[in-house]
Amino acid sequence: MPERIQQPEAESILAGLRRWVEIETPTGDVENMARLLDVVAADFAQLGASLERIPGRDGMGDHLLVRLPWGSGPGILSVSHLDTVCPQGQSPCAGTETAFMAQASPT
C-alpha cells in the first residue's frame, strides 16, 4: 500500500498547485501562459530538472521539455497544456481560497 502523504507535505503541494492555478490562462492568452510556464519551469528547476523551452508557433504558447534526474530505467512521458477553457476572470478557482480548497480537497 502506498505511503500516505504527511499533512505539512500535502499543504506544501497544494500551495504550489495554487500558485499555478491562480495564473489564469484562457486559450489564446499567450502572455499569461508564458507567465505560468515561467513559474512551472522555476519549480522544476528547484528539483534539479534540466529544462528546454521550445518557442511556440502560429501565435501559440511555448512548450517546456522537462527532464528529471531521477532513476536509470525508462522514463515516463507526461503531456499537458496550460491554457484553460474559462474566459478571463471566470475560472472556478480564480481568487477565492474556498473555491480552490473545495476542488483540491480529497473526498
Side-chain angles (χ1 to χ4, degrees):
M1 183 169 203
E3 187 175 318
R4 188 179 176 127
I5 296 175
Q6 298 299 312
Q7 186 65 26
E9 185 179 1
E11 289 174 9
S12 174
I13 291 168
L14 280 176
L17 287 173
R18 182 180 181 149
R19 286 184 29 248
W20 292 13
V21 169
E22 287 182 334
I23 300 172
E24 292 188 69
T25 55
T27 301
D29 187 343
V30 177
E31 184 177 314
N32 272 350
M33 284 188 273
R35 281 185 45 226
L36 177 54
L37 200 60
D38 291 341
V39 172
V40 171
D43 288 350
F44 275 110
Q46 289 179 359
L47 297 174
S50 66
L51 307 169
E52 181 182 352
R53 194 161 183 158
I54 302 163
R57 296 184 301 177
D58 302 322
M60 300 310 228
D62 294 348
H63 300 274
L64 184 64
L65 180 60
V66 178
R67 289 189 174 93
L68 296 167
W70 312 315
S72 60
I76 298 173
L77 175 64
S78 175
V79 179
S80 67
H81 61 92
L82 299 179
D83 64 323
T84 60
V85 295
C86 300
Q88 188 75 27
Q90 295 184 19
S91 171
C93 296
T96 63
E97 184 170 332
T98 54
F100 178 80
M101 295 309 293
Q103 293 195 15
S105 296
T107 56

